[in-house]
Amino acid sequence: MKALVTTSLDPLTLELRSVPDPRPHPDEALIEVHATALNRADILLAIRRPVGSPLGLDVVGTVLSPAADGSGPPAGTRVTGLAANNAWAELAAVRTDRLAAVPDSVTDTDAATLPVAGLTALYALQKAGWLLGKHTLVTGASGGVGRMAVQLAHAGGSKVTAWVGSEARGTGLAEFGAKVVAGYEEPPTTPADILVDSVGGEVFTTGYKLLRRGGMATVFGNTVRAELRLPADWGHARPGVRIEYLFLLDEITRRDVPADLALLLALVTSGKLVAELGLLTPWTDPQPAIAALHSRSVNGKVVLSM
Amino acid sequence: MKALVTTSLDPLTLELRSVPDPRPHPDEALIEVHATALNRADILLAIRRPVGSPLGLDVVGTVLSPAADGSGPPAGTRVTGLAANNAWAELAAVRTDRLAAVPDSVTDTDAATLPVAGLTALYALQKAGWLLGKHTLVTGASGGVGRMAVQLAHAGGSKVTAWVGSEARGTGLAEFGAKVVAGYEEPPTTPADILVDSVGGEVFTTGYKLLRRGGMATVFGNTVRAELRLPADWGHARPGVRIEYLFLLDEITRRDVPADLALLLALVTSGKLVAELGLLTPWTDPQPAIAALHSRSVNGKVVLSM
């Protein structure tokens, strides 16, 4: 089969190569891949693996052979899920406990935006728990996960402040019910119960200081790659505030991923979650997608179609 | 009645004064006070309140009048509990949901060490959850709370490293099953699952870096009053690690304090928790107790007896 593999790590370059067909483990279904999305996580993983490695987490396709152990969806089912760095290929073997059936109402490209970005946003908010009537501050709200977090928080009845780097990056977020604050030099001032942060540095510190007692700070990224710094009264001035870092590939080991994907798919079907497509490009030409993600020039998700 | 009130805040000075007897609310029992302990929290609270304020959180005594609403222990019961800055007096009105009956096996002075220090240590560890087979690192382990945390973690089946400022401060901790690391310039190196910190600054950062994936850092103090600083990979390098600050007077609003005090009292009775008495002094002369706490010259709890 054909698969995208890295041919250079700096700059990151991918090429279609002929590779052996996957040989599924007993708990893996063999998927004919229709679409995949490109995430910052993919790029971070790509540059940490040897040149020539396959890649790809988000996978949408049709089950060619169900898992030998009888688990998961039968042949012919259209599915979405989390592959193990092997989604950017014609065929992918994927664990059935990382897959969910896609309803007809959700397109391949929409479904491809959900696993990494949707689950990260969902789990970030679930760590806070109760949403109804709370106030959620999402930093880096223009990113793939950020836009999902804004919508999920809103769908759960939370007020939402979406903090983005610029007016242009905030496009569309107000339509999801968010108050948009543009520019990291002009911080929001409204106290919050929940902070979902992926920026780090001063932006995280500012967001943290806005948390009310009993609040929750979930962090899933550190774009500025700065150390975490909080004032000396970080705890005592904010009783009961929790801080937790969410690393999706660790988090899923403790989650019911099929059920959680089913929830996200149902929210897309009901219109509560819009899978925003920022760029759709054929997988035979992945470089524009990588460039778009690097330059943060695209609002919404970057999807490769097979 | 007589009560200790502040007559100066800097330096903190207390004097016995005649004040009106307390008038209990319907959910408060009137206690004849036998003993109280002195905590750093008392001092921190004292200097934030006007000169002339009463003080005191830990209370041990006998119920003179049970609560009018019928809750709590009957008259004559010996109790320990958390007063609301009014324990350092001949009589104290205390909410019944902050009181527990003291078994005959536990002395007044031992019971007085439990509410603030014991509950703080208990809740700090409970935030981590499972103890058996885990490794707990307690910083500031020579303090009142630290010594309780070391014993409770050990009683729950956790290996314990007790990190203290000096050999002298670590006296007795090895007998509680802890590996003692003395000196903050020579950090421990063993990975830990649970960090209980009250020092802050570099000590917290070092402890945090020792946490394994899925670990829990509970902080209940910040002795060095430094900002919280963690390396840029603080989250991603430690998947699932949680950080939470514990402020006892907030935490108890979400806890069953009588049941938790009963647990501590039972542990004292069974010998699993030793209420270490560092200094026992009559309440008519509280200044040596304040000085001892300020200078950290005492290992164990400081108790005033009435």
Side-chain angles (χ1 to χ4, degrees):
Chain A
M1 68 163 184
K2 291 269 194 298
L4 279 174
V5 300
T6 54
T7 54
S8 147
L9 300 183
D10 187 16
L12 181 63
T13 315
L14 301 171
E15 242 181 59
L16 267 188
R17 291 275 172 88
S18 284
V19 300
D21 281 8
R23 290 183 301 176
H25 292 273
D27 61 347
E28 292 177 337
L30 184 66
I31 313 287
E32 182 187 58
V33 182
H34 302 169
T36 178
L38 192 61
N39 301 283
R40 292 191 65 77
D42 291 303
I43 292 183
L44 293 173
L45 287 166
I47 60 178
R48 275 164 184 74
R49 307 178 76 215
V51 166
S53 295
L55 286 167
L57 299 171
D58 288 321
V59 65
V60 173
T62 303
V63 175
L64 282 184
S65 323
D69 68 3
S71 66
T77 311
R78 199 162 58 98
V79 290
T80 186
L82 275 172
N85 289 310
N86 59 335
W88 301 355
E90 289 175 315
L91 300 171
V94 183
R95 283 171 55 161
T96 54
D97 62 357
R98 304 282 157 82
L99 287 176
V102 179
D104 293 342
S105 49
V106 180
T107 64
D108 284 346
T109 47
D110 282 0
T113 67
L114 295 179
V116 170
L119 290 175
T120 302
L122 180 69
Y123 296 150
L125 291 167
Q126 281 185 340
K127 285 182 186 295
W130 188 264
L131 292 177
L132 186 61
K134 298 288 186 181
H135 190 136
T136 303
L137 170 60
V138 181
T139 72
S142 55
V145 179
R147 290 180 168 260
M148 299 265 184
V150 166
Q151 296 181 74
L152 291 172
H154 180 68
S158 174
K159 291 183 276 291
V160 183
T161 297
W163 195 7
V164 295
S166 67
E167 297 262 354
R169 294 288 279 160
T171 305
L173 289 170
E175 286 74 46
F176 295 147
K179 182 189 170 201
V180 178
V181 175
Y184 286 126
E185 63 294 338
E186 288 173 65
T189 54
T190 315
D193 305 289
I194 302 164
L195 169 64
V196 176
D197 174 69
S198 59
V199 179
E202 284 299 308
V203 169
F204 174 73
T205 304
T206 301
Y208 180 84
K209 288 182 188 167
L210 289 171
L211 283 175
R212 289 200 189 96
R213 59 195 288 154
M216 175 84 214
T218 311
V219 184
F220 66 87
N222 187 355
T223 309
V224 301
R225 296 178 183 254
E227 63 178 357
L228 179 152
R229 294 178 70 155
L230 297 176
D233 68 347
W234 67 274
H236 209 77
R238 290 159 199 86
V241 167
R242 292 173 292 150
I243 306 173
E244 191 168 341
Y245 190 94
L246 167 65
F247 176 33
L248 183 65
L249 299 186
D250 176 73
E251 187 72 22
I252 54 173
T253 62
R254 297 181 293 273
R255 296 284 191 164
D256 183 348
V257 173
D260 297 330
L261 284 171
L263 167 61
L264 294 170
L265 288 159
L267 289 168
V268 171
T269 298
S270 70
K272 290 188 174 172
L273 182 64
V274 175
E276 294 178 282
L277 203 60
L279 176 68
L280 177 64
T281 180
W283 79 312
T284 48
D285 183 21
Q287 293 308 132
I290 293 172
L293 214 64
H294 264 304
S295 65
R296 297 175 194 281
S297 59
V298 167
N299 287 341
K301 295 289 296 174
V302 174
V303 173
L304 304 181
S305 103
M306 267 59 179
Chain B
M1 69 163 183
K2 291 270 196 298
L4 280 174
V5 300
T6 54
T7 55
S8 148
L9 301 183
D10 186 17
L12 181 63
T13 315
L14 301 170
E15 241 181 61
L16 268 188
R17 292 275 171 86
S18 283
V19 300
D21 282 7
R23 291 183 301 177
H25 293 273
D27 61 347
E28 292 176 340
L30 185 66
I31 314 287
E32 182 187 59
V33 181
H34 302 170
T36 178
L38 190 62
N39 302 283
R40 293 192 63 79
D42 290 302
I43 292 183
L44 294 172
L45 287 165
I47 60 178
R48 276 163 183 74
R49 307 179 75 215
V51 167
S53 295
L55 286 168
L57 298 171
D58 287 322
V59 65
V60 173
T62 303
V63 176
L64 282 183
S65 323
D69 68 4
S71 66
T77 310
R78 197 161 60 96
V79 291
T80 185
L82 276 172
N85 288 310
N86 60 335
W88 301 355
E90 290 176 313
L91 300 170
V94 183
R95 285 171 53 159
T96 54
D97 61 357
R98 304 283 157 82
L99 286 176
V102 179
D104 292 343
S105 50
V106 180
T107 64
D108 284 345
T109 48
D110 282 359
T113 67
L114 294 179
V116 169
L119 289 175
T120 301
L122 180 69
Y123 295 151
L125 291 166
Q126 282 185 339
K127 285 183 186 295
W130 188 264
L131 291 177
L132 186 60
K134 297 287 187 182
H135 191 136
T136 302
L137 170 61
V138 181
T139 73
S142 55
V145 179
R147 287 177 172 263
M148 299 265 185
V150 166
Q151 294 181 74
L152 291 172
H154 180 68
S158 176
K159 289 181 278 290
V160 183
T161 296
W163 195 8
V164 295
S166 66
E167 297 261 353
R169 294 289 280 159
T171 305
L173 289 170
E175 285 74 41
F176 295 146
K179 181 189 169 197
V180 178
V181 175
Y184 286 126
E185 63 294 338
E186 288 173 64
T189 54
T190 314
D193 305 290
I194 302 164
L195 169 65
V196 176
D197 174 69
S198 59
V199 179
E202 284 298 310
V203 169
F204 173 73
T205 303
T206 301
Y208 179 85
K209 288 182 187 167
L210 289 172
L211 283 176
R212 290 202 189 93
R213 59 193 290 152
M216 174 84 214
T218 311
V219 183
F220 67 87
N222 187 353
T223 310
V224 300
R225 295 180 183 252
E227 62 178 358
L228 180 152
R229 294 178 71 156
L230 298 176
D233 68 346
W234 67 274
H236 208 77
R238 290 159 199 86
V241 167
R242 293 173 291 150
I243 306 173
E244 191 168 342
Y245 190 94
L246 167 65
F247 176 33
L248 182 66
L249 299 186
D250 176 74
E251 187 72 22
I252 53 173
T253 62
R254 298 181 292 272
R255 296 284 191 163
D256 183 348
V257 172
D260 296 331
L261 284 171
L263 167 61
L264 294 170
L265 288 159
L267 289 168
V268 171
T269 299
S270 69
K272 290 189 175 172
L273 182 64
V274 175
E276 293 178 283
L277 203 60
L279 177 66
L280 177 64
T281 179
W283 79 312
T284 48
D285 182 21
Q287 293 308 133
I290 293 172
L293 215 62
H294 265 302
S295 65
R296 297 174 194 280
S297 59
V298 168
N299 288 340
K301 295 289 297 173
V302 174
V303 173
L304 304 181
S305 109
M306 267 60 178

